[in-house]
Amino acid sequence: MTVTQNIQYDEDTHQLFCSGEWNLASLAQLKLFLSQITWPTAGDVIIDGGSVTTMDTAGAWLLNTWIHHLKKQEINVTVQHFPDRFSTLIILVEKCLQQEIKLSTTVPAKFVVRVGKLAVSQLKEFYAYLSFIGLLSVEALRLVTQPTRLRWSSFASVIYTTGYSAIPIIALLSFMIGVVITYQMGLQLKSYGANIFIVNLLGLAILREFGPLITAIIVAGRSGSAFTAQLGMMRLNQEVDALDTMGVTPSELLLLPRIVGLVIALPLLTIWADVLGIFGGMVMSNSMLGISWYDFLHRFPSVIPLRALIIGLGKAPVFALIIASVGCFQGMKVRGGASSVGANTTRSVVLSIFFIIVADAIFSIIFSGLKL
């Protein structure tokens, strides 16, 4: 028989007699005593708690832990003679341990819970975004019926900052995109002696896809982030609240001019990107594939249909609405301090680019179904 101050274990009858104080103060000593006991490899174990004078949750946890340990070794454990108040505590702690063990062993379930919470959070934000779009639509209809309240100077300012100021960076990147596309596709065509078909590939790629898509991504990083930062700082400085007290809605002065201005500017930037992208391809075709300027320009209108340009330009207003609305929505959501401005600006750019690519994929599916 193993005998200690709080524990007696009879190896012949496999009975564990608990006595004294089973609390946090004696927890370390109890754990040491229980680990030194030579437990059976099979059969039954009886735990008798008739002599226990004090027990708290720490003692009940230790007892349940060892009961669970013995049951994992396929040993039947019987608990008896504990006072009612201690029995209730042991049962309560056992339920908590079972729940904890269940959660710890069901990693997929925890993953599903996290995914569910994230999905609900994203749905709530999407609902708020739709409400924001609805509010802007109502404000736009109100301003259409009251054209004297339109602020033409604000529209012009947005077109200048988002359109005219972006011309150099759009030109440089579009030119380089044209060069890269021509180089990559030209290497393959050159090996088959089909150099002239670079005009077909380059024209369709730039006009339908790369022109509007690259322009939208650049504008999202440049102007969309600026919208969020500007509106976020205005919210922190309580300038938006000051407009409300003056009887001027933020939609009228701050939001709609940015959205409408970008809708006007982005198609124009897309045309500029198409021109520079095609020009970059012409330069590369002439230097690498031996296609003269005249041959390129003579073939281009005969193999590239006008609908390729129209389809690309048709995407631009949709991309502009996505960039401007997401940027303004995130800007109006800024709360707290400067860290919120940075977080919302980052989120604005990420969401804008994500929705642009999703919208472009939807356009591709629709145009493919319509055989355009």
Side-chain angles (χ1 to χ4, degrees):
M1 175 179 290
T2 302
V3 181
T4 64
Q5 182 178 1
N6 301 91
I7 296 174
Q8 297 181 10
Y9 179 69
D10 192 334
E11 298 178 359
D12 297 329
T13 61
H14 297 167
Q15 293 189 37
L16 179 69
F17 297 95
C18 303
S19 60
E21 298 180 350
W22 281 63
N23 52 24
L24 183 61
S26 56
L27 185 66
Q29 188 178 17
L30 291 171
K31 289 175 66 175
L32 178 62
F33 293 157
L34 289 172
S35 63
Q36 293 176 346
I37 294 176
T38 304
W39 299 100
T41 57
D44 299 329
V45 170
I46 299 174
I47 300 178
D48 191 306
S51 301
V52 175
T53 57
T54 303
M55 176 175 284
D56 59 9
T57 53
W61 169 82
L62 178 63
L63 184 64
N64 276 292
T65 301
W66 276 96
I67 292 174
H68 176 72
H69 174 71
L70 294 174
K71 286 182 177 180
K72 284 179 64 176
Q73 299 179 3
E74 298 182 357
I75 299 174
N76 297 321
V77 180
T78 303
V79 180
Q80 63 184 18
H81 300 154
F82 278 88
D84 292 340
R85 64 184 186 276
F86 298 153
S87 297
T88 303
L89 180 61
I90 292 171
I91 294 173
L92 179 62
V93 173
E94 180 184 7
K95 291 180 179 179
C96 295
L97 282 176
Q98 291 297 331
Q99 184 178 6
E100 181 181 349
I101 292 171
K102 183 179 179 180
L103 290 175
S104 64
T105 54
T106 56
V107 176
K110 293 174 68 177
F111 174 75
V112 170
V113 169
R114 289 198 300 269
V115 171
K117 289 181 178 179
L118 180 61
V120 171
S121 173
Q122 296 299 322
L123 286 175
K124 288 181 178 179
E125 183 169 356
F126 185 66
Y127 176 77
Y129 174 70
L130 292 180
S131 301
F132 178 76
I133 295 299
L135 175 62
L136 289 180
S137 301
V138 171
E139 287 291 324
L141 292 174
R142 182 179 65 84
L143 289 177
V144 169
T145 59
Q146 302 175 7
T148 55
R149 297 183 66 92
L150 293 175
R151 300 176 182 272
W152 300 105
S153 59
S154 299
F155 291 118
S157 176
V158 172
I159 293 173
Y160 177 81
T161 55
T162 61
Y164 180 78
S165 300
I167 285 178
I169 185 65
I170 295 292
L172 176 61
L173 293 181
S174 298
F175 180 85
M176 297 307 298
I177 288 294
V179 169
V180 170
I181 292 176
T182 304
Y183 177 76
Q184 295 295 334
M185 293 190 297
L187 289 177
Q188 304 301 320
L189 294 174
K190 192 174 182 179
S191 62
Y192 292 99
N195 297 10
I196 194 63
F197 288 102
I198 190 63
V199 180
N200 306 51
L201 297 176
L202 179 68
L204 290 175
I206 293 294
L207 297 183
R208 286 186 62 125
E209 292 297 332
F210 286 100
L213 187 62
I214 294 299
T215 304
I217 290 175
I218 295 172
V219 172
R222 183 181 180 278
S223 301
S225 59
F227 289 172
T228 303
Q230 291 165 1
L231 294 172
M233 290 306 299
M234 293 182 73
R235 286 201 63 87
L236 294 182
N237 295 332
Q238 300 182 347
E239 296 177 43
V240 176
D241 298 332
L243 290 176
D244 288 329
T245 60
M246 295 168 59
V248 180
T249 62
S251 302
E252 175 184 336
L253 183 63
L254 302 176
L255 305 181
L256 287 176
R258 285 174 165 81
I259 294 175
V260 176
L262 192 60
V263 169
I264 296 172
L266 192 59
L268 300 176
L269 286 175
T270 301
I271 295 175
W272 178 244
D274 291 342
V275 172
L276 267 295
I278 297 299
F279 179 68
M282 288 176 59
V283 173
M284 200 64 185
S285 299
N286 185 48
S287 62
M288 185 180 77
L289 303 177
I291 299 174
S292 67
W293 305 93
Y294 174 81
D295 291 337
F296 192 102
L297 293 175
H298 180 72
R299 181 178 176 80
F300 190 87
S302 62
V303 297
I304 305 301
L306 180 61
R307 68 170 181 270
L309 175 63
I310 296 174
I311 288 173
L313 291 179
K315 298 177 182 179
V318 178
F319 293 162
L321 287 173
I322 291 173
I323 296 168
S325 60
V326 171
C328 293
F329 174 68
Q330 293 295 330
M332 298 300 288
K333 277 184 59 182
V334 170
R335 298 289 188 277
S339 60
S340 179
V341 176
N344 282 40
T345 301
T346 302
R347 187 172 180 81
S348 169
V349 176
V350 172
L351 289 176
S352 295
I353 295 175
F354 173 79
F355 285 126
I356 285 169
I357 296 175
V358 170
D360 189 57
I362 294 173
F363 277 126
S364 298
I365 294 171
I366 294 174
F367 293 148
S368 176
L370 296 176
K371 300 185 184 305
L372 294 175

